[in-house]
Amino acid sequence: MSNPYKTCLLIDDNYIDNFVTRKVLEASNFAETIVVRQSPTEAIDSLRFGIITPDVIFLDIRMPTMSGFEFLREFDLLDIDKKNIKIFMLSSSLDPVDMKQSASNKYITQFIHKPLTLKALEELSA
């Protein structure tokens, strides 16, 4: 795989998960630039002020200050061009409600179970 995306934003409060996901993304040359935000609030501010203009976002669901779904509500209110941003819900949640809510959200491209793998990335790019 050779950089299908320019900028990838990873939003997850867990340092270890971010480390693992980043390594998988780097190993696959998934994006030219990978930006990590451990706080969804920080990510919203980075998007709002044009600090980051991602092509793709990997978003966790369960985070302490703001859930992935709360992030999506805030994302919806942002005055930015969203049509070319793919969002993948990357979560360890097995809750059917989370999966159903992800499937019905207009911004979520796909729900992916943690940990992210090279095989999962290859399937996204196929």
Side-chain angles (χ1 to χ4, degrees):
M1 196 180 315
S2 60
N3 292 338
Y5 297 102
K6 184 171 171 53
T7 305
C8 175
L9 174 58
L10 175 57
I11 307 169
D12 194 325
D13 64 306
N14 186 298
Y15 175 82
I16 300 296
D17 286 344
N18 284 332
F19 180 81
V20 170
T21 302
R22 183 182 196 118
K23 289 296 180 191
V24 171
L25 292 168
E26 288 171 350
S28 70
N29 289 314
F30 188 75
E32 290 176 29
T33 306
I34 300 165
V35 178
V36 177
R37 292 290 184 263
Q38 283 189 256
S39 157
T41 307
E42 249 184 75
I44 287 290
D45 287 343
S46 294
L47 292 165
R48 177 179 290 123
F49 299 117
I51 296 166
I52 302 167
T53 308
D55 306 290
V56 64
I57 297 173
F58 286 94
L59 176 64
D60 188 23
I61 294 177
R62 307 239 189 273
M63 295 177 279
T65 57
M66 178 188 289
S67 76
F69 295 114
E70 290 167 329
F71 169 87
L72 290 166
R73 284 191 284 280
E74 290 295 316
F75 179 80
D76 189 50
L77 300 174
L78 292 176
D79 186 23
I80 62 170
D81 184 11
K82 301 175 189 99
K83 70 179 179 289
N84 294 320
I85 301 175
K86 287 186 176 183
I87 300 178
F88 298 103
M89 192 63 87
L90 180 63
S91 179
S92 55
S93 174
L94 298 173
D95 185 341
V97 173
D98 288 341
M99 289 178 219
K100 185 176 181 183
Q101 195 170 352
S102 293
S104 67
N105 187 286
K106 68 181 177 181
Y107 295 113
I108 301 291
T109 302
Q110 187 175 334
F111 186 100
I112 303 167
H113 286 283
K114 286 183 185 177
L116 185 64
T117 62
L118 288 172
K119 184 178 189 298
L121 281 180
E122 286 168 7
E123 290 171 5
L124 296 181
S125 301

